[in-house]
Amino acid sequence: MELIDGYLTLVGFGETGWGALLLAAAAMTLGVSVCGFLTGTILGSVITFMQLSRYMLLRWLADGYTTVLRGVPDLLVIYLFYFGGSAFLGYLGGLFGYHGFIGMPAFLTGTLALGVVSAAYQSEVFRGAFKSVASGELEAASAVGMRPWPKFRRIIAPLVLRYAIPGLGNTWQLVLKESALISVTGLVELLRQSQIAAGSTRRPFEFYLTAVVLYLIITWASSMTFHRLETRTLRGTRRAL
């Protein structure tokens, strides 16, 4: 009982507790993950259009992008964005007479790195979903004279989203776990805050265990959300069956 009370005091919201900081760090983890995932969705959609293009050059560029980003360690991508972005900002500062170091914002680095990496996986999800659309539905739309944009908005996009949701859910879980790597840039997300608390109190097990619990809560809530979305989008299909 004394052990439990000590743990609750350590991670609680009292004067000596780290609860508020841990929750703030969990919110930061969720924020950078959401921004990175949405960035990856936008970029992944563009890559998918390139993969499905009739132009060979665009297909080659898209395939090269997915091959490189899925083959390079995610941590290396984060370093490239951080140090490359800092070098670029330093160059811009030099044009205005400032010659000191300008660090790339950690949150922006995380958003861009997670977005670029997840785009390689999301593009494959979108392409697979597009391939799952029955050709008869597209042919029927063309037969009634539906123009390309209305056909995409009313038929292709809803069907692709329906088929892509399970794969996007898996990609989101990867983004959420990869967000822990952003701590190398100084962003105080959940893992970084746990490291700080563990070093300050010399109680690493308690804080890392708390981080596991918070990650699992976020993961569980995310899984439930994607499951509800999948159920909602398949409602009409299940009724038809």
Side-chain angles (χ1 to χ4, degrees):
M1 193 66 180
E2 183 179 351
L3 182 62
I4 296 177
D5 291 339
Y7 171 76
L8 293 178
T9 301
L10 197 63
V11 300
F13 296 90
E15 295 182 358
T16 60
W18 291 77
L21 293 175
L22 289 172
L23 287 182
M28 179 64 72
T29 292
L30 188 59
V32 72
S33 298
V34 169
C35 291
F37 182 79
L38 293 178
T39 301
T41 300
I42 296 173
L43 183 57
S45 300
V46 175
I47 298 300
T48 302
F49 280 114
M50 294 173 62
Q51 290 174 324
L52 299 174
S53 174
R54 61 181 178 177
Y55 299 106
M56 185 176 295
L57 177 60
L58 293 180
R59 295 200 302 271
W60 283 354
L61 291 175
D63 290 340
Y65 178 92
T66 57
T67 300
V68 171
L69 267 298
R70 288 190 297 173
V72 174
D74 299 337
L75 184 59
L76 181 57
V77 176
I78 294 172
Y79 278 135
L80 288 175
F81 268 98
Y82 181 73
F83 291 109
S86 298
F88 178 71
L89 291 177
Y91 171 77
L92 292 180
L95 296 179
F96 294 94
Y98 180 80
H99 300 287
F101 176 77
I102 303 177
M104 184 76 168
F107 189 91
L108 180 60
T109 300
T111 297
L112 293 178
L114 293 177
V116 166
V117 172
S118 68
Y121 295 93
Q122 293 193 54
S123 64
E124 295 297 328
V125 172
F126 288 135
R127 183 172 67 167
F130 179 81
K131 296 293 185 180
S132 299
V133 177
S135 59
E137 298 187 57
L138 303 180
E139 293 171 358
S142 301
V144 298
M146 187 175 289
R147 299 180 65 84
W149 172 245
K151 181 168 65 174
F152 173 80
R153 180 171 59 87
R154 297 180 180 180
I155 298 178
I156 297 178
L159 290 176
V160 168
L161 181 61
R162 172 186 293 174
Y163 298 136
I165 285 178
L168 292 178
N170 292 331
T171 305
W172 161 255
Q173 303 290 1
L174 292 175
V175 170
L176 184 61
K177 290 190 293 185
E178 289 168 356
S179 66
L181 300 175
I182 308 300
S183 61
V184 299
T185 65
L187 183 69
V188 184
E189 41 70 62
L190 184 53
L191 179 59
R192 179 58 179 164
Q193 187 61 67
S194 300
Q195 291 173 334
I196 294 173
S200 298
T201 62
R202 297 183 179 179
R203 302 280 293 274
F205 178 77
E206 288 86 343
F207 286 105
Y208 290 135
L209 179 62
T210 303
V212 168
V213 172
L214 291 175
Y215 273 118
L216 290 177
I217 291 175
I218 297 174
T219 301
W220 175 80
S222 302
S223 299
M224 293 299 297
T225 300
F226 277 96
H227 178 70
R228 287 181 178 273
L229 288 174
E230 183 180 358
T231 302
R232 186 176 182 84
T233 56
L234 292 176
R235 185 178 301 170
T237 303
R238 291 176 177 175
R239 288 178 179 175
L241 293 176

